Each structure stands twice: as structure tokens, then as C-alpha cells.
Amino acid sequence: MALTGFWIRQVQWPLMEVLKENRTRPYMRELQAAQHLSREELASRQREKLRSLLDHAVSHVPAYMANADVWREYRDAPERFLQKLPPLDKTRFRRNPDAYLSRGIRTDKLIPNRTGGSTGEPTRFYLDRPAVEHYEAARWLGLSWHGIRIGDPCVMLWGSPLELNRQQARTYRWKERWLKNRLLLSAYELDERSLDTQLQRIRRFRPAYLYGYASALYTLAQMMLRRRITLGIPLKAVVSTAESLHEHQRQAIAAAFEAPVVNEYGARDGGIIAYQCPAGNMHAFSENSYLEVVDPLTHIPVFPGVPGALLVTDLHNRAMPRLRYQLGDIVALSAKTCPCGISFPLLETIDGREDDMFISQHGHFVHGHYFNHIVRNLESFRTFQIVQHEPQRLSLRLVKEPDRFLPADEAKLLAGIRSALGEVSVQVSYVDHIPPASSGKTRYAIRECPLTSVQPPE
Ligand SMILES: [Zn+2]
């Protein structure tokens, strides 16, 4: 593993830079240099980047071209100009995504992406390479705060790509193993009975760190704590991502793996937004995105310390700029400075995505993201919500995508659910929309029964 890491750092990455013009490491060095600048310097660099992005948006992006005259008036105060634009929520974006594509851009040169997002609404969008490489740079910088280097061995507790056939899956695993030094464990197939085997695989791989969904890491940690098993190898960190990390989860994960738990805050459609530092605070990468927090109803900016809807403006995606993109998360900014010495601004609270783990008829634990993964690959549904009332009884609410709906997709979705959970009963209903919970967020995978209510057969 150490040799693979050495190879990745010393040969593979430098080669990628020469042959593919990958700029992740140079961007990381820029971030590294910026992290100790003063607040004022950071703000002024961010303003310059924002100004340049807005220059581009009003002249090349159809959705923003009507604002060109107003922009000329406000060019000295780009933050104030932004406040004149309505927040871009997913529904509005999905109505006409092509309007956000820069004119003259060739989509075959871009990186297509899609997401279920925190609201469960599948959204399709494009990124360009500089945007993705800036996200990667931010992630590696955040990891470096905990002593983790590019190429260090990592065990990922992750969703496996369902759409791959056997050969593709084998190639994928090979690439992960030898080009990225990563071992994938499926967050869709955690299981009390295979716990020893899984832990043995982790020990053999000797990772420097673990990386996975908060709820999946927590489930694994709970199984270990219940059976008083430890991993027995020193980890630099356990990195939790993609969902809110609650304090009780953090404590259980830290206790089970005997390692610090690090929170990564990012979104498929928002990039790597913030990373936890060794002092325990969440630093936002102000070099990569401009963040605003507004009242969810009035859209008036709220003060630091007050939670509100997070709006993200990615400063680097020129291919498809989305200004004030509303991720669906509730966040509070902070005016405090951190004792760790990093000057990137802090987020005080993050109320992000909530996914539950589901339980199958065979005693497997299946991460809620599994269902999202299936729906994302069907064109028929705008959004969905699945609830496991009891281990064998579920309900599924679906919102149709009117122009793309195929009745056969319902059967595909049910087959996917049953292949993970076993022969469960699923009551399907079609609705116009799925109302958010009292917290203001829509959850799409909810389990109402206790996770231990099925005893796995011996
Ligand atoms: Zn800090």
C-alpha cells in the first residue's frame, strides 16, 4: 500500500499533469498559500474572482445576459449585484438548464453530472475540468490538515455504481485499487454476519484513513461497539461526508475506530464547500465559492450565527455558472476566527442531508442512498420518498417527470428495491409534490422502525 502511495505521488500525478494537464496539485498549492492570508486579503481575492465570473456570466450565459446593464452599474460591488438576483433553486434550474450553459461551449468536452441532491430531485448539470480540479484540490487540502497525503491508502464505505456490468465493475475496482489506492466497501451491503470478514479486509489493506457516508460509518461503528471489536490499526482520521454528522454519530465512530472523526461538507452539485480543521471547526473554501445565507422565505441575508438557506456561487465553473444556487441545506455562517491558524471563514452549523440506513429481510443494512442511485438512472421520476415503516412494509411516493414518464420504470424501481431489501411489500402512490418536514428539508429515505428489529438468520 505504501509503495502504491509512493508511486501515485511521485509518478502518476506528475504524469497526469504533463499528459492531461491536470491542475489539481497546482490549485492545491494556491489554496495552501491562501489559507494563511488575512481575512481582508481573502475577501479581496474572492471579490476579484466573483467579478470575473459575473463579467463572464452576463456576456456568455443566456440566463444572465438580461442583467448586463445592471451589472455595469454594480461592477464595483459584485456582492450587491448578486443580491439583486433571485436564489436559483433546483426547480427553477431544472425548468431550463440549457439557459445556464455558456454560449458556444461544446458539451462533449464537459463533465456531465447528476444528483439526487438533498431534496431527492434528480438534477442534471455540467462541470468543466477547472471546477472539478478545484474541488479536488480543496478536498486534498482539507485532508492534509489531518496529515493525509495524495495517494495514502483509503477504505471507502460507499455506494457501488449499480449501472456497471461485471467486467466494468472489475475494471472500476482495479482502478480504485491501483490508481487511487482505495478499497471500496459497499454501504449498501453492511451486514452483522459479514462484519468480521469486512474488518479483516480493512486490516489487510492497512488504510491511513476511512471515508464514507456518516450514517454508514455510524452503523459499522455501532456493530463494532456492540461486539467490542476494534480495528487494531492506527488511522489518521475517519472522514465523514455527504450527510449531516451528528454528535452521537461522531462519538460512536471515534470510539469504535479510535481515531479523530473529520467532517467534509460538500455536494455533488456544489463541490467541496468546507472541511473540518484539527481544532474542530468547519472552514469554508472562500477561494472556490462565494457563500450567502438567507432567510428561506424572504431571501433577506441573515446575520452570522443565524441559520438560513445556503446559496452557493461556484467561482470556477465557467461552463455552466449557477449564481446563488440553493443546495437545500440550512447553514449558519460564523464571524469567529479559529485558533488553528487557518484563515478561511468558518461555518457555525450545517444542517445538511439526512439519509437513513434501511434493513433488508436478510439482515443487511442498506444505505438510503441506494434508492437515490436507482431513481437517478431512471428518467421517469422527478423526485421520490421511500419510508420503511416496518422491515417488510414500505411506502413509496413518486412525482412523475411528465415528459419522460415510462410506466415500465415503476417496475424497474420496485425490482431494484426488492433486490436490496428482499420480498417486501411496497405501497406506491403518485403525488404532485413531496412536502418538506418541519425542519424545512425534504427527506427521501426514512426508516421508522429500529435498525435491529430483524434478527439475521443463523
Ligand atoms: Zn480551524
Side-chain angles (χ1 to χ4, degrees):
M1 282 10 97
L3 197 62
T4 315
F6 180 81
W7 168 266
I8 290 174
R9 276 190 297 279
Q10 302 300 330
V11 181
Q12 188 185 314
W13 276 68
L15 267 180
M16 282 197 316
E17 282 160 27
V18 176
L19 301 178
K20 295 193 166 180
E21 294 172 12
N22 184 300
R23 309 247 326 132
T24 304
R25 287 199 312 180
Y27 291 149
M28 186 182 161
R29 285 193 286 271
E30 282 173 25
L31 282 176
Q32 232 154 8
Q35 67 184 342
H36 298 301
L37 295 174
S38 70
R39 282 269 172 111
E40 293 69 31
E41 284 169 305
L42 284 177
S44 126
R45 285 164 64 93
Q46 192 185 42
R47 186 171 301 124
E48 263 331 298
K49 288 188 179 201
L50 186 57
R51 186 177 290 125
S52 153
L53 173 77
L54 294 172
D55 276 338
H56 170 83
V58 300
S59 52
H60 293 92
V61 182
Y64 300 114
M65 286 161 85
N67 302 97
D69 289 342
V70 186
W71 169 236
R72 267 191 286 280
E73 240 177 86
Y74 280 88
R75 210 173 162 274
D76 289 336
E79 298 92 341
R80 282 178 58 208
F81 169 79
L82 265 194
Q83 286 180 8
K84 301 204 161 290
L85 303 176
L88 177 59
D89 64 25
K90 291 180 188 184
T91 314
R92 178 200 280 265
F93 175 71
R94 283 157 45 90
R95 235 179 268 146
N96 189 8
D98 289 350
Y100 297 87
L101 261 181
S102 286
R103 274 199 173 159
I105 200 116
R106 281 181 51 190
T107 51
D108 59 336
K109 297 277 180 214
L110 299 177
I111 302 156
N113 212 330
R114 45 170 80 178
T115 173
S118 54
T119 60
E121 286 188 38
T123 306
R124 292 167 177 77
F125 56 95
Y126 288 101
L127 296 168
D128 53 23
R129 272 187 47 196
V132 172
E133 289 167 4
H134 276 101
Y135 300 162
E136 286 296 309
R139 174 183 285 123
W140 286 118
L141 182 73
L143 290 172
S144 79
W145 295 340
H146 305 275
I148 296 165
R149 297 170 304 171
I150 285 175
D152 274 352
C154 166
V155 167
M156 281 181 87
L157 199 52
W158 208 243
S160 42
L162 302 170
E163 58 270 31
L164 301 185
N165 65 33
R166 235 191 202 167
Q167 180 54 40
Q168 286 169 322
R170 211 174 297 141
T171 313
Y172 181 75
R173 277 200 303 273
W174 188 92
K175 281 188 179 163
E176 284 291 322
R177 174 70 186 78
W178 298 108
L179 302 183
K180 296 185 177 171
N181 211 4
R182 292 199 300 216
L183 172 73
L184 294 186
L185 294 185
S186 172
Y188 302 157
E189 293 161 14
L190 285 175
D191 180 339
E192 201 90 59
R193 283 161 301 174
S194 63
L195 180 63
D196 291 326
T197 324
Q198 304 277 39
L199 293 180
Q200 203 47 40
R201 286 182 71 197
I202 300 179
R203 288 185 195 108
R204 267 204 305 271
F205 190 73
R206 293 199 72 80
Y209 64 112
L210 307 187
Y211 183 93
Y213 302 130
S215 57
L217 290 168
Y218 175 61
T219 304
L220 184 58
Q222 277 181 309
M223 290 195 276
M224 291 166 66
L225 291 173
R226 266 202 300 273
R227 297 197 9 210
R228 298 202 170 81
I229 312 175
T230 56
L231 207 51
I233 51 171
L235 295 173
K236 290 178 180 170
V238 179
V239 182
S240 157
T241 189
E243 300 166 348
S244 293
L245 173 67
H246 298 288
E247 193 44 40
H248 69 278
Q249 295 176 318
R250 178 193 293 280
Q251 285 174 10
I253 298 167
F257 295 104
E258 301 169 309
V261 181
V262 173
N263 194 11
E264 170 184 280
Y265 176 47
R268 207 180 252 266
D269 48 351
I272 300 296
I273 296 168
Y275 237 90
Q276 190 189 321
C277 72
N281 288 316
M282 295 298 292
H283 288 272
F285 295 106
S286 58
E287 296 278 297
N288 280 3
S289 52
Y290 178 74
L291 304 183
E292 296 168 88
V293 177
V294 298
D295 182 287
L297 293 176
T298 62
H299 299 157
I300 294 170
V302 298
F303 287 104
V306 179
L310 178 68
L311 310 181
V312 180
T313 299
D314 184 329
L315 296 169
H316 296 115
N317 189 5
R318 289 287 193 278
M320 192 179 228
R322 285 163 295 161
L323 308 177
R324 313 190 88 202
Y325 187 66
Q326 188 168 355
L327 277 181
D329 294 341
I330 302 291
V331 161
L333 300 174
S334 166
K336 295 180 189 135
T337 48
C338 184
C340 78
I342 295 164
S343 342
F344 291 141
L346 299 180
L347 300 183
E348 197 160 293
T349 58
I350 301 168
D351 186 7
R353 193 157 111 181
E354 303 282 345
D355 287 340
D356 276 340
M357 294 292 288
F358 282 53
I359 184 149
S360 84
Q361 296 296 290
H362 313 291
H364 293 310
F365 300 132
V366 179
H367 192 269
H369 193 71
Y370 172 85
F371 310 107
N372 185 37
H373 210 122
I374 307 176
V375 172
R376 207 162 73 197
N377 290 300
L378 298 173
E379 299 275 309
S380 285
F381 309 111
R382 174 168 298 173
T383 181
F384 74 103
Q385 185 179 58
I386 184 165
V387 184
Q388 187 167 35
H389 306 286
E390 293 162 30
Q392 59 288 344
R393 188 170 65 83
L394 292 94
S395 58
L396 173 67
R397 294 200 279 176
L398 295 167
V399 179
K400 282 181 196 171
E401 188 67 74
D403 305 329
R404 305 200 192 111
F405 179 75
L406 300 168
D409 277 354
E410 182 188 308
K412 283 190 198 163
L413 178 51
L414 287 174
I417 291 170
R418 293 202 171 103
S419 93
L421 298 182
E423 278 310 306
V424 290
S425 105
V426 184
Q427 192 191 6
V428 181
S429 57
Y430 284 88
V431 292
D432 291 334
H433 80 290
I434 289 165
S438 53
S439 69
K441 295 195 328 181
T442 308
R443 297 174 61 195
Y444 63 86
I446 302 167
R447 190 195 70 250
E448 292 178 341
C449 50
L451 200 54
T452 48
S453 63
V454 169
Q455 283 304 316
E458 288 302 319

